[in-house]
Amino acid sequence: MSYAAYKMMHWPTGIDHCAAGFITHSPAEAAAFSSLGPTISGPEGDIYSAAARAPQRVGPTPNLVVVAANVLEVYAVRTDAVMGAEDGGTSSSAGAILDGISGARLELVCYYRLHGNIESMALLSDGTENTRDSITLAFKDAKIACLEFDDSINGLRTSSMHCFEGPDWLHLKRGRESFACGPFIKADPQGRCGAALFYGLQMIILKAAQVGQSLVGEDEPTRMLSSAAVRIDSSYVIDLRLLEMNRIKDFTFVHGYIEPVLVILHEQEPTWAGRISSKSQTCMISAFSISMSLKQHPMIWSFAKLPHDAYQLLAVPPPISGILVICANSIHYHSQSTSCSLALNSFSSQPDGSPETLKTSFHVELDAAKATWLSHDIVMFSSKNGEILLLTVVYDGRRLADSLLVQFSFGVSTSVLPDLTDECADIEGDPPFAKRLKRVPSDVLQDVNSVEELSFHNNSVPNSLDSAQKISFVVRDALINIGPLKDFAYGLRTNSDPNAAGIAKQSNYELVVFGWVANELDRLAVCRLDVLGSLSKFLSQASTMQRSSGPGFLEMRGASVCNKPCLHKPRWHMLQVLQTGDDLGEVTETVDYNVQASTIAAGNLFGSLKWQQMIKYRSIIVLQINQVLLVKTSIITAVDNNNVLTPGHVKPGRRRVIQVYAKGARVLDGSFMTQELNFTMHSSESSLSSEPLAAASASIADPYVLLKMVDGTIRLLVGDHSNCTISVNAPAVFASSSERISSCTLYRDRGSEPWLRRVRTDAWLSTGIGEATDGNDGSSHDQSDIYCIICFESGKLEIFEVPSFKCVFSVEDFVSGLAILSDDLSHTKDAVIGVPDATTVSVKKEEANNIKIVELAMHRWSGQFSRPFLFGLLNDGTLLCYHAYCYDGSESNAQCAPLSPNGSSDLDNASDSRLRSLRFRRVSIDVSSRDDISSFTRPRITIFNNVGGYEGLFLGGPRPTWVFVCRQRFRVHPQLCDGPIVAFTVLHNVNCCRGLIYVTSQGFLKICQLPSAYNYDNYWPVQKVPLHGTPHQVTYYAELSLYPLIVSVPVVRPLNQVLSSMVDQELGLHIENDVTVGDDLQKVYTVDEFEVRIMELEKPSGRWETRFTIPMQPFENALTVRIVTLQNTTKMENETLMAIGTAYVQGEDVAARGRVLLFSFSKSENSQNLVTEVYSKESKGAVSAVASLQGHLLIASGPKITLNKWTGSELTAVAFYDAPLHVVSLNIVKNFILFGDIHKSIYFLSWKEQGSQLSLLAKDFGPLDSFATEFLIDGSTLSLVVSDSDKNLQIFYYAPKMVESWKGQKLLCRAEFHVGAHVSKLLRIQMLPTQGLVSEKTNRFALVFGTLDGGIGCIAPVDELTFRRLQSLQRKLVDAVPHLCGLNQRSFRHFKSNGKAHRPGPDNIVDFELLSRYEELSLGEQLDIAQQVGTTRSQILSNFSDFSVGTSFL
């Protein structure tokens, strides 16, 4: 393997930073919308009507900005107001009602993946009502970027960049190359300035510009209809060494001063754990007044003798002001005139002569806690073990009184959960508080079964507020985090198909990942790349259908249904009609459907909107079977309405079904035909006028049916509600046009106020806002407009009103995939849109002319604030996706006039009804399928509104893909288990609630459901299982499909018991006598108790169950667990055993020791005898890794590696090797051994059985802190991969014949790459063969890795020709693709040595994170770059698709 590719498969989910601010709108804009009622403005400033008119007391709602490693997300907070709500006391079906709000959720506004990890974030706000906030980001080593929201592109743009790197700023480093902590950035609460700490002791002051002034030039387009954002004007540097500061721990700005005041927490003299008794009060705070005009910073006050464990500063809001110093064991308040402190546990200390410190009645530790202010005097803490703490700062107007700290833990005891009753308790020593825990069901979260409500009620607080104080919390929404990832296993699913082959065989596997979550209980997460895996999992549930083992039958679990063999082997020469009810039966012979013709589409017409609402809101008693259409060549399975109504309900008699086939259409009332139409030519000049005209595709929007004919023209079938008939209409606007239509569709814009009405020029004539009402009873006066979207073969896109066919929107070059689409007749292309015209680019014309839109779709999913999506499918398999938004630029009116060739009166008439403010922003969608679908005649895009509670679209074809719409963002999950899918639709009836039907290319029809245990609002579908402990390592036992994993549970013990158990027996009595003096008897200590759990995923229920538990001894930590295959030398047969390596943690006074445990598995179903211990032996060192090598057991015990043979009852050492310091990982391939040392990089050994020798082949002589190691196999080439503590990945190889290898002693570097995250695990998985590239290397493996940020990716080998092509493309994209924040990809991926001596290695890894941006470019830019590289666009996309198919492991 000489070349490799890096690809992220699951992006980071661990939240590093988050902040709330007004990014997409100003507080005044939000308040203006709220004054009309409880409404919230969208990113484009639209006004949305709400469900109630109760006054909203939460105030303007800001945005939420979230940072996860290099991922930046901006969310809008959407709230649901209710009428007549009372605070905190009531609950409804939507959850508890607090402050007039019944629910809240997050919706994505914009999302970016940056070429650099965000080290720190701050929101720059000036506190005024008419100004938006800016996002300020800090990157290593000394880079700052300021971002603001741009309405014209509906996304973020960079307003300024500040770099303090390079030769001009080398003096700031003071000769150092590495720094302990990254840059930090903070903002002044009043937005006057910001401060950034770089290079340890260099403080950079960023001065904010006044509104309308910035570093940007005058030629920048100004925002006329929206508020401006805060920007940075200038900056200067403060050297903190000159202020006699050594180590900066934290800093922040405080409130209540005329000029910005910066408070810095720093340590005067460092200390360590061994000197705490003599030197513990080493920290101090200093307050500086920042004069930006004079560039001076005098100190105005300071306070010394703070605890050494102080780590965070919190600025107290006015009117109290001041600063809170957060320590691990205490909290201190300081201002210019007042000081006080609060002890959190018995370990807190205070300096001599200081006033007595208040103490809490319970013990808590605030190490690494996060905090936020709920009000001006209440701050909420989230501790590292999942506790929620409330601190009340009591203030009487002149001074601070006693502070109150209230504790609540989300780790509720199991006795509280079953009865779900309220519980009251008093906190000892503090004023009486009523603590109430209430669990109510929630419809907001799909992955949370219950919501916690926390309420603290303060009845009598002395020297405090007079009125009662009550704070309640309800969980409204949550973002999924699966990190940090420590280990994962790769095993077969419980519903795997043993007969699967190729890609379908790989979909039988799943990835079991675990780690710990910072702010909640430790959990086990099961992630799948293949969304549905094999759908036989759903088919095994009670309400689904599956194919039995016998040929040609479908069976229903839970119902007596056995259908004819024709359902399994359909008759390909005619259409079949299936009726769904309690049973699924064929009714082809009894209905008037045209069963001899090839059906194109089928749907409902003349439906009653009021009746549809009745069905929707009374779904408990009314079952509606929606129309089902499955198309496979000439096969169709149509299911008509089978409405089961309760007595007293009237079945609508005007409901009809239309069947469209190639030569005509039929209208049916139930099973009886009421009308039949034949399509004929309308052009008298055509020589083929005598022959009927065939339809190629159809789109149905009641009461219209749009037909695209085979000659490139369209026909509109118009329904008449009075007599339930249809008529053919040929739009006159296309009669004189010679352009052929490549694709068309209908879009129904419905709702209380149709969304597209807001972007019309004559929007003031619409009556949507005032008349639209939507009550809780479900009755709404919904309105709907129907539009026709047409794309011509020239690439032009036009939107028409139906049935008048008046053009309201047009784009000349839609097929090019421009970044922004706007109406060509209302706007001219300018720098704001920023897209070059494809005709001005030197491209290969013949290739550009072959690209056409073959399918169109437009849909707006549910949600008060949702906006329409536009989809276009190219004939090469590329899916274009656009999200609509509203932007009315100031230049629109001025530029409208010269665009019309007619007079001004014609212009006014033409432009009044145009969608002048409508724009579309292209959204990247990670659909890896790239197949030529020009010969695929059936539609591939199927839109669904409710499948298992989710909405989105299904993309059929060779590589089927689910695209779920969650929070207005796409979640793409491929379905590879059944191969190509030719037809798909939804099904909802009594036997299959919110299910689906699809037909595979082999002719199998499957009725399925989405598994409810998984949450699909993630990069991969995820299932979280509570462990109530911290997982450490997992492995997979394939024979019984079991997952052994190491779990530790924290246990609180008395300190004297802990100390007496950690030392030898001779010293135990001495230490026990020492700790029994004074208050030390009351001290407690938390220790971790380890155990190994054998877990299994149950097939029927999908729940994870613990089959067996192996407890460890006191203070014994289980370090590793692996399934090993050993050769029993007595019986001369192989045995599969579970090996566990442990270590005793007893302090640094006791010599390290551990144990090796071997367990065998029983085949019986009795869980009591599932695991049996067969061997146990104590080792002199900690057993950190075990592995099996050709029937022997390889054990890494401290600095020694021992190879042992198994006799059936004993392990006998046969060879050993002395490692330098400590072995962290072991990997085996044949007789080769790779191990990583904690500080001395990697070693490559070989095992020779003849001489019983472990011999060193080569090693890496450089210093390296190894994290994970693994072999990478590419055919006959063996490479060695290691990840280190500096977030790098290196690939080595063994070449003894090369001079640079020092006669084979040194491992040579083949490639190096900066991942940007700590890689904690590497797993070797075989790659799939690809169709595009014929390679002789069939034995290819890729490495899947997990990171501590919650990301999953892979390193895979590529051949040289592909690598050279992609590397040339990557170099072009560095300059061709716009990068947010101005970050350079080549600089980010360069090896980071962190000041250590390092010789740069070869650049033999391509980055698919950058290469994937190629598909986001316009078609002209893609063709131009491909021509510069010396290849074609189709070849590049083919390489992308081949790599994606080869790495479809799951």
Side-chain angles (χ1 to χ4, degrees):
M1 201 277 326
S2 300
Y3 309 99
Y6 164 87
K7 178 183 178 182
M8 286 300 296
M9 305 161 67
H10 184 289
W11 285 267
T13 56
I15 305 300
D16 296 324
H17 313 282
C18 66
F22 293 91
I23 307 299
T24 62
H25 56 274
S26 65
E29 292 171 339
F33 299 146
S34 300
S35 63
L36 300 176
T39 58
I40 297 175
S41 66
E44 61 278 4
D46 296 335
I47 301 177
Y48 296 86
S49 57
R53 299 296 174 184
Q56 186 176 6
R57 286 160 289 179
V58 295
T61 306
N63 298 101
L64 177 65
V65 185
V66 171
V67 169
N70 65 328
V71 177
L72 175 66
E73 298 174 337
V74 178
Y75 290 93
V77 181
R78 308 300 190 191
T79 57
D80 298 328
V82 295
M83 185 178 297
E86 297 180 359
D87 290 343
T90 62
S91 62
S92 63
S93 59
I97 300 173
L98 296 180
D99 203 24
I101 302 297
S102 62
R105 62 194 178 278
L106 299 175
E107 288 186 3
L108 185 72
V109 176
C110 51
Y111 166 87
Y112 299 95
R113 296 200 293 261
L114 309 179
H115 296 298
N117 287 352
I118 300 174
E119 300 294 333
S120 181
M121 177 183 68
L123 298 188
L124 198 59
S125 172
D126 62 356
T128 60
E129 295 294 323
N130 298 319
T131 308
R132 297 182 181 181
D133 301 343
S134 295
I135 305 174
T136 310
L137 305 176
F139 304 89
K140 280 190 174 181
D141 287 320
K143 292 184 284 289
I144 301 174
C146 190
L147 307 177
E148 64 179 27
F149 190 80
D150 189 356
D151 291 318
S152 62
I153 62 174
N154 197 51
L156 297 177
R157 68 171 178 179
T158 306
S159 61
S160 63
M161 295 182 294
H162 312 264
C163 184
F164 300 90
E165 302 174 2
D168 296 337
W169 303 96
L170 283 178
H171 63 280
L172 298 180
K173 292 187 176 183
R174 311 277 296 190
R176 295 182 58 184
E177 290 294 333
S178 62
F179 300 90
C181 56
F184 298 102
I185 188 166
K186 298 292 179 67
D188 178 46
Q190 300 181 21
R192 294 167 292 188
C193 66
L197 181 67
F198 290 109
Y199 303 132
L201 291 173
Q202 302 294 333
M203 185 71 71
I204 299 171
I205 304 299
L206 305 169
K207 180 182 178 181
Q210 297 180 359
V211 177
Q213 301 179 4
S214 66
L215 296 175
V216 187
E218 296 296 334
D219 57 341
E220 182 195 5
T222 57
R223 193 185 286 110
M224 299 295 295
L225 299 180
S226 59
S227 55
V230 182
R231 294 181 178 177
I232 295 177
D233 185 16
S234 59
S235 62
Y236 68 96
V237 182
I238 301 176
D239 190 356
L240 298 182
R241 289 183 180 87
L242 303 179
L243 303 178
E244 298 181 355
M245 295 186 182
N246 294 325
R247 182 191 175 193
I248 307 299
K249 288 192 170 185
D250 195 15
F251 64 96
T252 189
F253 289 91
V254 295
H255 301 263
Y257 289 88
I258 298 177
E259 286 189 334
V261 173
L262 183 67
V263 179
I264 301 177
L265 173 65
H266 56 101
E267 193 171 24
Q268 294 174 304
E269 296 182 41
T271 185
W272 64 292
R275 297 200 61 193
I276 290 180
S277 59
S278 59
K279 184 189 292 187
S280 61
Q281 313 294 330
T282 60
C283 291
M284 70 173 296
I285 56 175
S286 302
F288 299 89
S289 178
I290 306 298
S291 177
M292 293 172 290
S293 59
L294 302 177
K295 294 185 178 181
Q296 295 179 355
H297 39 273
M299 181 189 296
I300 57 177
W301 58 272
S302 64
F303 190 88
K305 293 186 177 181
L306 288 174
H308 71 284
D309 53 7
Y311 65 93
Q312 186 179 4
L313 295 178
L314 285 180
V316 182
I320 302 177
S321 299
I323 201 80
L324 280 181
V325 183
I326 312 302
C327 309
N329 304 309
S330 59
I331 298 177
H332 303 260
Y333 172 84
H334 295 283
S335 66
Q336 197 164 356
S337 57
T338 309
S339 298
C340 64
S341 60
L342 176 67
L344 303 178
N345 51 47
S346 57
F347 294 99
S348 62
S349 60
Q350 56 185 1
D352 298 335
S354 62
E356 185 179 356
T357 304
L358 298 174
K359 293 185 178 181
T360 60
S361 60
F362 55 88
H363 296 270
V364 69
E365 182 183 356
L366 278 188
D367 184 25
K370 298 296 182 180
T372 185
W373 287 95
L374 302 181
S375 64
H376 71 279
D377 59 347
I378 299 178
V379 61
M380 182 174 69
F381 293 93
S382 173
S383 66
K384 62 182 180 181
N385 56 359
E387 290 179 330
I388 298 295
L389 302 169
L390 288 182
L391 174 67
T392 303
V393 181
V394 184
Y395 181 67
D396 60 0
R398 295 173 299 169
R399 59 181 180 84
L400 280 165
D402 299 341
S403 297
L404 310 174
L405 188 65
V406 183
Q407 180 186 27
F408 175 80
S409 175
F410 277 105
V412 187
S413 61
T414 56
S415 61
V416 181
L417 299 182
D419 52 3
L420 305 181
T421 57
D422 293 351
E423 197 177 75
C424 295
D426 292 337
I427 300 179
E428 298 178 1
D430 283 337
F433 279 73
K435 183 179 67 174
R436 187 187 69 203
L437 172 67
K438 184 177 183 181
R439 301 175 64 90
V440 295
S442 172
D443 300 330
V444 180
L445 297 180
Q446 300 294 337
D447 60 328
V448 178
N449 296 326
S450 59
V451 190
E452 295 84 359
E453 179 186 353
L454 171 62
S455 179
F456 294 105
H457 188 73
N458 182 3
N459 289 325
S460 58
V461 180
N463 301 327
S464 156
L465 303 176
D466 296 334
S467 60
Q469 197 176 68
K470 184 176 181 181
I471 299 177
S472 300
F473 299 96
V474 174
V475 178
R476 297 298 192 189
D477 202 354
L479 299 176
I480 296 179
N481 173 28
I482 67 167
L485 302 183
K486 293 185 61 180
D487 194 16
F488 51 82
Y490 183 68
L492 277 173
R493 291 195 327 271
T494 57
N495 56 344
S496 58
D497 184 5
N499 300 322
I503 296 180
K505 181 179 180 180
Q506 289 301 120
S507 67
N508 284 336
Y509 293 88
E510 65 184 359
L511 200 66
V512 176
V513 189
F514 72 85
W516 63 87
V517 184
N519 292 327
E520 58 181 342
L521 293 176
D522 308 313
R523 298 186 176 187
L524 176 78
V526 182
C527 300
R528 284 192 189 164
L529 176 61
D530 178 13
V531 78
L532 310 174
S534 171
L535 282 171
S536 57
K537 167 160 185 167
F538 321 139
L539 307 181
S540 66
Q541 298 179 3
S543 59
T544 58
M545 301 183 67
Q546 73 172 2
R547 181 166 57 91
S548 64
S549 57
F553 287 91
L554 289 172
E555 63 178 9
M556 174 78 77
R557 295 290 183 90
S560 58
V561 176
C562 183
N563 293 292
K564 298 180 181 180
C566 65
L567 295 182
H568 173 62
K569 297 179 180 179
R571 300 188 295 273
W572 298 96
H573 63 280
M574 64 178 297
L575 176 141
Q576 297 178 52
V577 182
L578 308 178
Q579 184 177 15
T580 61
D582 292 337
D583 299 340
L584 181 65
E586 183 177 358
V587 293
T588 307
E589 305 297 334
T590 61
V591 296
D592 290 341
Y593 286 89
N594 189 345
V595 297
Q596 302 298 330
S598 175
T599 304
I600 296 174
N604 294 114
L605 292 180
F606 316 121
S608 171
L609 183 62
K610 186 175 181 181
W611 177 77
Q612 289 178 351
Q613 293 295 330
M614 177 188 67
I615 297 297
K616 175 181 178 182
Y617 288 99
R618 301 186 183 182
S619 58
I620 298 177
I621 59 175
V622 180
L623 302 177
Q624 177 189 14
I625 309 303
N626 293 328
Q627 174 271 336
V628 176
L629 175 65
L630 296 177
V631 182
K632 183 181 187 299
T633 61
S634 61
I635 302 293
I636 214 167
T637 306
V639 180
D640 191 11
N641 298 314
N642 182 13
N643 303 307
V644 183
L645 301 178
T646 58
H649 290 171
V650 180
K651 179 179 177 180
R654 313 192 65 83
R655 192 79 164 169
R656 297 291 187 269
V657 175
I658 183 170
Q659 177 196 8
V660 181
Y661 46 92
K663 303 296 183 181
R666 287 187 180 184
V667 179
L668 298 97
D669 183 4
S671 59
F672 303 102
M673 182 180 66
T674 60
Q675 184 185 3
E676 183 172 11
L677 243 79
N678 292 324
F679 305 144
T680 58
M681 295 286 290
H682 282 250
S683 175
S684 59
E685 297 85 16
S686 176
S687 59
L688 302 177
S689 59
S690 59
E691 296 191 7
L693 186 62
S697 63
S699 176
I700 303 174
D702 188 14
Y704 302 103
V705 179
L706 183 67
L707 304 176
K708 176 183 172 293
M709 317 309 286
V710 293
D711 63 346
T713 61
I714 65 170
R715 299 289 185 271
L716 184 67
L717 303 184
V718 182
D720 187 357
H721 281 273
S722 60
N723 53 12
C724 293
T725 59
I726 58 174
S727 59
V728 182
N729 178 22
V733 68
F734 303 107
S736 60
S737 176
S738 60
E739 286 189 281
R740 290 175 57 90
I741 295 174
S742 63
S743 181
C744 59
T745 187
L746 290 178
Y747 165 63
R748 178 187 297 275
D749 190 22
R750 67 172 60 184
S752 58
E753 180 196 358
W755 192 86
L756 288 181
R757 292 188 186 180
R758 308 185 189 118
V759 297
R760 296 169 66 102
T761 309
D762 55 354
W764 60 276
L765 295 174
S766 302
T767 57
I769 299 178
E771 296 180 359
T773 58
D774 189 1
N776 295 330
D777 57 350
S779 61
S780 64
H781 301 287
D782 275 357
Q783 308 175 38
S784 64
D785 299 329
I786 296 180
Y787 297 89
C788 173
I789 299 98
I790 293 179
C791 187
F792 298 93
E793 291 189 356
S794 61
K796 182 179 181 181
L797 177 80
E798 291 186 341
I799 300 179
F800 298 88
E801 290 181 340
V802 176
S804 63
F805 275 90
K806 179 190 296 183
C807 182
V808 294
F809 187 85
S810 63
V811 177
E812 278 297 325
D813 203 11
F814 173 72
V815 73
S816 294
L818 305 178
I820 301 293
L821 301 181
S822 61
D823 187 13
D824 289 337
L825 296 183
S826 300
H827 306 274
T828 58
K829 303 298 180 182
D830 50 55
V832 179
I833 301 177
V835 276
D837 192 2
T839 58
T840 63
V841 186
S842 175
V843 299
K844 297 182 178 180
K845 297 297 182 182
E846 61 277 8
E847 185 175 355
N849 293 333
N850 293 331
I851 304 298
K852 294 180 175 59
I853 298 288
V854 296
E855 190 172 351
L856 280 173
M858 188 171 177
H859 190 74
R860 179 192 177 195
W861 279 279
S862 63
Q864 180 184 353
F865 303 94
S866 63
R867 308 191 308 272
F869 286 93
L870 175 64
F871 302 94
L873 189 62
L874 303 184
N875 54 355
D876 64 349
T878 302
L879 180 64
L880 301 179
C881 175
Y882 288 90
H883 201 184
Y885 67 98
C886 175
Y887 175 72
D888 190 7
S890 60
E891 74 281 357
S892 301
N893 295 330
Q895 293 175 350
C896 261
L899 293 178
S900 175
N902 301 323
S904 59
S905 60
D906 296 335
L907 166 68
D908 295 338
N909 296 332
S911 62
D912 279 349
S913 60
R914 294 194 69 88
L915 306 178
R916 182 171 57 89
S917 302
L918 175 63
R919 290 196 180 185
F920 290 93
R921 178 175 62 91
R922 187 172 176 183
V923 180
S924 63
I925 181 170
D926 301 319
V927 175
S928 57
S929 174
R930 290 292 177 270
D931 304 290
D932 187 6
I933 59 172
S934 56
S935 60
F936 199 85
T937 59
R938 297 300 180 185
R940 295 184 58 190
I941 299 177
T942 304
I943 295 190
F944 57 88
N945 293 319
N946 194 341
V947 173
Y950 289 88
E951 55 188 10
L953 65 91
F954 182 83
L955 189 64
R959 290 174 57 84
T961 304
W962 290 80
V963 181
F964 294 102
V965 179
C966 305
R967 308 179 192 278
Q968 292 296 298
R969 74 182 299 176
F970 291 127
R971 296 298 193 179
V972 181
H973 305 303
Q975 175 184 329
L976 309 176
C977 55
D978 292 311
I981 291 179
V982 296
F984 171 93
T985 191
V986 297
L987 174 66
H988 175 54
N989 75 341
V990 65
N991 293 318
C992 183
C993 181
R994 304 299 179 191
L996 57 113
I997 304 177
Y998 67 89
V999 177
T1000 66
S1001 59
Q1002 291 82 16
F1004 294 118
L1005 181 146
K1006 294 190 175 183
I1007 303 178
C1008 323
Q1009 282 181 317
L1010 283 177
S1012 59
Y1014 290 87
N1015 191 327
Y1016 301 94
D1017 184 15
N1018 193 36
Y1019 300 107
W1020 290 1
V1022 58
Q1023 177 189 7
K1024 285 195 172 184
V1025 182
L1027 291 178
H1028 305 290
T1030 302
H1032 296 272
Q1033 201 173 77
V1034 66
T1035 188
Y1036 176 65
Y1037 180 41
E1039 191 172 346
L1040 296 180
S1041 296
L1042 300 175
Y1043 291 90
L1045 70 154
I1046 300 174
V1047 179
S1048 64
V1049 179
V1051 177
V1052 178
R1053 290 185 176 179
L1055 184 61
N1056 55 358
Q1057 180 183 352
V1058 173
L1059 294 178
S1060 61
S1061 303
M1062 290 177 62
V1063 297
D1064 295 335
Q1065 295 295 329
E1066 301 83 35
L1067 302 176
L1069 294 176
H1070 175 68
I1071 290 186
E1072 187 174 359
N1073 291 332
D1074 288 344
V1075 300
T1076 55
V1077 180
D1079 295 336
D1080 290 338
L1081 275 175
Q1082 306 297 327
K1083 292 185 177 182
V1084 294
Y1085 192 77
T1086 302
V1087 296
D1088 291 330
E1089 292 187 353
F1090 280 74
E1091 62 186 17
V1092 177
R1093 300 181 188 176
I1094 312 297
M1095 302 192 69
E1096 181 184 18
L1097 179 61
E1098 291 187 352
K1099 294 183 180 180
S1101 61
R1103 295 192 304 266
W1104 285 82
E1105 299 292 340
T1106 302
R1107 295 284 306 277
F1108 198 82
T1109 301
I1110 304 173
M1112 299 291 107
Q1113 296 180 2
F1115 301 100
E1116 183 183 22
N1117 293 5
L1119 301 182
T1120 180
V1121 56
R1122 288 291 180 257
I1123 302 297
V1124 295
T1125 301
L1126 305 181
Q1127 185 180 19
N1128 192 329
T1129 57
T1130 303
K1131 300 181 180 179
M1132 300 306 294
E1133 61 181 16
N1134 290 335
E1135 296 181 2
T1136 301
L1137 304 174
M1138 180 177 65
I1140 301 175
T1142 70
Y1144 288 94
V1145 180
Q1146 296 175 305
E1148 50 189 20
D1149 295 331
V1150 182
R1153 58 191 178 95
R1155 285 196 304 165
V1156 178
L1157 307 173
L1158 293 180
F1159 294 84
S1160 64
F1161 291 92
S1162 173
K1163 301 298 190 297
S1164 64
E1165 294 295 332
N1166 187 8
S1167 61
Q1168 299 296 330
N1169 300 323
L1170 178 64
V1171 175
T1172 305
E1173 181 179 335
V1174 296
Y1175 179 75
S1176 174
K1177 182 181 180 180
E1178 190 169 301
S1179 174
K1180 290 184 178 180
V1183 180
S1184 57
V1186 294
S1188 57
L1189 173 63
Q1190 295 183 349
H1192 298 75
L1193 183 62
L1194 195 64
I1195 302 174
S1197 178
K1200 185 182 290 292
I1201 297 178
T1202 308
L1203 190 66
N1204 302 268
K1205 67 177 180 180
W1206 173 244
T1207 63
S1209 59
E1210 289 290 335
L1211 283 176
T1212 305
V1214 296
F1216 70 93
Y1217 181 83
D1218 289 326
L1221 296 174
H1222 179 72
V1223 178
V1224 297
S1225 62
L1226 276 177
N1227 306 103
I1228 308 295
V1229 167
K1230 294 185 177 180
N1231 63 322
F1232 297 109
I1233 305 170
L1234 169 66
F1235 73 85
D1237 190 81
I1238 191 170
H1239 291 305
K1240 297 296 183 179
S1241 193
I1242 59 173
Y1243 285 70
F1244 187 39
L1245 311 178
S1246 70
W1247 156 247
K1248 297 180 181 179
E1249 193 168 2
Q1250 294 181 353
S1252 297
Q1253 292 183 359
L1254 284 175
S1255 57
L1256 174 67
L1257 296 179
K1259 66 177 182 179
D1260 176 30
F1261 284 85
L1264 194 71
D1265 299 341
S1266 302
F1267 264 46
T1269 58
E1270 188 53 271
F1271 286 103
L1272 185 60
I1273 301 173
D1274 183 17
S1276 59
T1277 305
L1278 185 66
S1279 302
L1280 297 78
V1281 183
V1282 58
S1283 64
D1284 59 26
S1285 59
D1286 294 324
K1287 304 180 181 180
N1288 301 309
L1289 203 70
Q1290 287 182 276
I1291 303 178
F1292 293 91
Y1293 68 104
Y1294 175 60
K1297 296 183 180 180
M1298 297 188 66
V1299 179
E1300 297 89 347
S1301 66
W1302 302 346
K1303 296 182 180 181
Q1305 300 180 35
K1306 180 181 178 182
L1307 291 173
L1308 301 180
C1309 182
R1310 176 163 280 162
E1312 59 186 19
F1313 191 82
H1314 183 68
V1315 178
H1318 290 110
V1319 176
S1320 56
K1321 170 72 174 181
L1322 291 165
L1323 180 66
R1324 186 174 67 249
I1325 302 178
Q1326 187 169 9
M1327 296 181 65
L1328 294 175
T1330 58
Q1331 300 286 342
L1333 295 177
V1334 180
S1335 177
E1336 298 178 356
K1337 299 178 181 179
T1338 58
N1339 188 31
R1340 275 193 164 185
F1341 288 80
L1343 297 184
V1344 177
F1345 62 83
T1347 69
L1348 297 183
D1349 294 329
I1352 302 174
C1354 70
I1355 295 287
V1358 294
D1359 58 89
E1360 183 176 1
L1361 181 62
T1362 303
F1363 172 79
R1364 298 297 182 193
R1365 181 184 300 115
L1366 297 181
Q1367 188 183 47
S1368 301
L1369 174 64
Q1370 177 176 296
R1371 290 171 179 170
K1372 288 289 182 182
L1373 291 177
V1374 171
D1375 300 325
V1377 175
H1379 305 290
L1380 190 68
C1381 303
L1383 299 172
N1384 189 288
Q1385 183 269 346
R1386 296 183 64 183
S1387 173
F1388 176 53
R1389 297 305 182 185
H1390 192 267
F1391 187 90
K1392 304 295 189 299
S1393 60
N1394 199 17
K1396 304 174 185 175
H1398 175 75
R1399 181 179 180 182
D1403 183 17
N1404 288 337
I1405 298 181
V1406 292
D1407 182 14
F1408 263 87
E1409 282 292 278
L1410 178 60
L1411 293 174
S1412 62
R1413 300 288 302 275
Y1414 175 78
E1415 303 177 67
E1416 301 176 12
L1417 299 175
S1418 64
L1419 178 61
E1421 292 172 321
Q1422 291 182 20
L1423 295 175
D1424 189 29
I1425 292 177
Q1427 190 178 33
Q1428 296 176 18
V1429 172
T1431 182
T1432 62
R1433 172 180 177 272
S1434 59
Q1435 182 63 58
I1436 293 174
L1437 296 181
S1438 176
N1439 291 145
F1440 289 175
S1441 179
D1442 291 338
F1443 187 82
S1444 176
V1445 172
T1447 54
S1448 299
F1449 309 113
L1450 305 175

